[in-house]
Amino acid sequence: MDKVADLGRDLGRDIGEYIKAQRNTAKISLRQLSKLAGVSNPYLSQIERGLRKPSAEILQQIAKGLRISAEALYVQAGILDVPVGGPVPDAVRADPELTERQKQVLMDVYESFRRENNAIRQSTPEGSDVDGVKQDPKSEE
């Protein structure tokens, strides 16, 4: 079997499973999402089962219907690269209990804290922490 065809099939299945999970989390029926997204019910069902790989335009319509970012669907579909990670962003993105909107808000707050701390670090003397307090190396033991 062709490896490229297998990869395409896996991506189609992955995006379908992701859409179904988001739909279930939002407590929206397949029929409701098909109306909200302007996609036929059978076509949406085929996408969720991994039988069809939707275009970027269809993904955008589905994202709108689910009220999530189109970027999240593009990443899942392999259209966009996965955003840069780390332990906190990876944990936030992996949490199935959070909606895409909640994940984005958490990431925005996290990144704003990192930028703020980086700016403070650059303006404080060597050996100070981000709050401007001198660190006593012996107290860390």
Side-chain angles (χ1 to χ4, degrees):
M1 181 89 344
D2 185 6
K3 288 183 181 184
V4 174
D6 287 345
L7 179 61
R9 203 169 6 270
D10 288 345
L11 285 174
R13 190 175 313 114
D14 291 347
I15 188 62
E17 288 172 4
Y18 183 78
I19 290 169
K20 185 175 184 176
Q22 292 299 312
R23 182 176 58 76
N24 289 333
T25 300
K27 295 180 175 49
I28 299 173
S29 72
L30 186 71
R31 183 163 295 164
Q32 289 170 314
L33 180 56
S34 93
K35 285 182 182 177
L36 290 169
V39 176
S40 77
N41 198 39
Y43 184 60
L44 184 56
S45 175
Q46 290 173 348
I47 291 170
E48 284 192 358
R49 290 182 287 142
L51 302 176
R52 299 269 184 163
K53 190 172 180 218
S55 67
E57 183 179 318
I58 296 295
L59 287 174
Q60 186 173 19
Q61 291 173 235
I62 292 170
K64 186 177 177 183
L66 288 169
R67 294 188 171 176
I68 63 173
S69 73
E71 180 184 7
L73 290 183
Y74 294 159
V75 168
Q76 287 294 321
I79 295 171
L80 287 179
D81 291 333
V82 176
V84 176
V88 173
D90 291 347
V92 169
R93 282 189 208 101
D95 191 332
E97 298 296 316
L98 298 174
T99 66
E100 287 302 317
R101 174 81 177 118
Q102 291 167 334
K103 290 175 185 181
Q104 187 59 53
V105 169
L106 279 172
M107 291 306 301
D108 290 346
V109 170
Y110 175 70
E111 287 303 321
S112 74
F113 285 154
R114 288 179 49 88
R115 282 190 302 273
E116 181 181 319
N117 290 346
N118 190 32
I120 292 169
R121 232 181 260 111
Q122 291 177 0
S123 67
T124 57
E126 188 74 26
S128 296
D129 74 5
V130 292
D131 295 324
V133 177
K134 276 285 198 199
Q135 293 292 322
D136 180 5
K138 293 178 185 171
S139 69
E140 292 180 2
E141 293 177 358

